[in-house]
Amino acid sequence: EIQNSNYVGFDLSTILKFSIQILFGLLILKNKKIIHCDLKPENILLIKKGKTGIKIIDFGSSCYTDQSQYEYIQSRYYRAPEILLGLNYGCEIDMWSLGCILCELYCGIPIFPGENEYDMIYYIMEYIGLPPKDLIEKSPKKLDFFNEDGKPLEKKNSLEKIK
């Protein structure tokens, strides 16, 4: 729908209607101990064109909260920090994705448009700041993103811009 409006975001009343329905859907999933694992705009469909009723689709990556956890989940722009850092996760990752989606619905563009995982962590740190030190220390991927002192590494992206 955003693509059809030349990447102009929705008004706040429409976003509120969408978010209430998505939150209700996520509450049902949490009560069933299910993590969607790939919440993104393409997986939220309008039931009827021109109306605000929605449904959440594509549970192909979903898992139960007590299952062994997948390492590579969530579409890139909506990937939670714990996934990027290789940490354990729960239903909270779907809430992270929802926050990213709501920003995108308002702005018309993704909030964290990283081209790879380092880019994603960089964008998140740029907006929110460094992850807590204990999370960095627990991360099996910490040396992919941080030096031994916990400071972010500087890397070039495909445009040779250092981040």
Side-chain angles (χ1 to χ4, degrees), residues 94-122:
D94 290 337
M95 287 299 292
W96 174 272
S97 297
L98 174 59
C100 295
I101 291 165
L102 295 178
C103 288
E104 186 171 337
L105 289 176
Y106 183 72
C107 299
I109 57 171
I111 187 170
F112 302 125
E115 59 185 41
N116 55 48
E117 287 198 335
Y118 180 82
D119 232 16
M120 294 296 302
I121 255 322
Y122 171 81

